[in-house]
Amino acid sequence: MRGKSASKDPKVTRRAMALAAHPDDIEFLMAGTLLLLKGCGFETHYMTLSNGNCGSMQWPAEKTRRIRRQESIAAAKILGAHYHPSLADDLEIVYEVKLLRRLAAVIRDVRPNILLIPSPQDYMEDHTNTCRLAVTAAFTRGMPNFRTTPARKANSEEVILYHGMPHGLRDGLRQRIIPELFVNTESVHELKRQALAAHASQKEWLDATQGIDSYLQMMDEMSLELGRMSGRFKHAEGWRRHSHFGFSPRDDDPLSRVFGNLSVKKRERE
């Protein structure tokens, strides 16, 4: 499932892509929704912009890259998603044109109808810069005069961007972020947990410093908190739509449309 572009099968018309900063970010905040989309017939894609090379206190960067790549491939397999290789090292996700051209090529290859991306507000720059790069890469999909690396043809397909929640469900100033949409992930929570556990190097490190299974408990706690915030679900993931300008002529909300009763909007709770 490595780096596969969008299917040529005419029956496959719906594609969803989860794009985050680091290996395991998708599993913490996006994997449940990605699993549900796959269950609804979407072709799903998985990509972290960074390879996680700084995510170890005991191994050198090159070994850490290899370990975390294999963990990400294993997690993508659990989620049933096509894996796309990372493009940068940790702390080197910067908003610059070379990286933008490479990411834009991936977006043009995949042609996602739904793009799941990080929150614009979070506790570290890798996350927020991934958000900015993802938005611009998607925006340039229909611009033939913007060159990608490698070269890929522009396309005019509509894409709806959804921002996930920040880690800890708060921005960098500790202010709570309230989602526009809650998605009920209870039915896929255990599979989401298995995908997170595939990142064994991170689990072992946090277990040693913060207690056994603390890594998985962090994800459980955010999921349960979002469920409580929804007022309806036990486990949930939260989403906010990006503006539709430049992405779709309609102010569409395909997650609400596809999931129906498996989702609830904030205004419906008030």
Side-chain angles (χ1 to χ4, degrees), residues 43-218:
E43 177 183 282
T44 55
H45 295 256
Y46 174 113
M47 182 179 184
T48 62
L49 205 51
S50 172
N51 55 41
N53 70 305
C54 291
S56 174
M57 300 292 287
Q58 57 179 321
W59 300 313
E62 187 54 44
K63 182 176 180 179
T64 305
R65 280 191 201 95
R66 292 197 303 270
I67 290 171
R68 301 202 73 188
R69 174 184 170 88
Q70 291 305 311
E71 290 172 347
S72 293
I73 291 171
K77 185 175 182 180
I78 291 169
L79 297 174
H82 299 296
Y83 170 81
H84 296 266
S86 303
L87 302 178
D89 282 343
D90 282 353
L91 304 182
E92 295 183 22
I93 302 177
V94 294
Y95 190 87
E96 51 90 18
V97 72
K98 289 183 180 179
L99 187 53
L100 176 61
R101 292 191 194 281
R102 295 177 68 196
L103 181 57
V106 177
I107 299 297
R108 290 185 186 185
D109 267 343
V110 175
R111 305 196 316 274
N113 310 113
I114 294 176
L115 185 58
L116 308 177
I117 60 176
S119 169
Q121 304 87 20
D122 211 327
Y123 75 97
M124 72 169 300
E125 296 300 309
D126 273 1
H127 298 169
T128 55
N129 283 340
T130 296
C131 173
R132 294 181 64 204
L133 286 161
V135 170
T136 307
F139 192 82
T140 67
R141 75 199 181 286
M143 297 177 174
N145 289 340
F146 182 78
R147 294 177 290 103
T148 64
T149 306
R152 293 291 185 266
K153 289 184 178 180
N155 67 79
S156 59
E157 293 193 32
E158 298 173 14
V159 57
I160 311 299
L161 278 60
Y162 287 89
H163 295 283
M165 295 294 287
H167 284 261
L169 311 184
R170 286 165 171 77
D171 65 17
L173 298 178
R174 305 182 182 223
Q175 301 301 303
R176 183 184 291 272
I177 300 295
I178 305 298
E180 171 196 10
L181 178 72
F182 297 87
V183 173
N184 181 356
T185 57
E186 182 176 1
S187 65
V188 294
H189 184 76
E190 286 307 313
L191 197 54
K192 172 180 172 176
R193 212 172 192 267
Q194 290 176 32
L196 180 60
H199 298 273
S201 64
Q202 303 304 290
K203 181 180 183 301
E204 291 170 5
W205 176 54
L206 282 175
D207 282 356
T209 58
Q210 299 186 30
I212 299 299
D213 283 339
S214 60
Y215 191 60
L216 300 175
Q217 289 171 7
M218 288 167 59

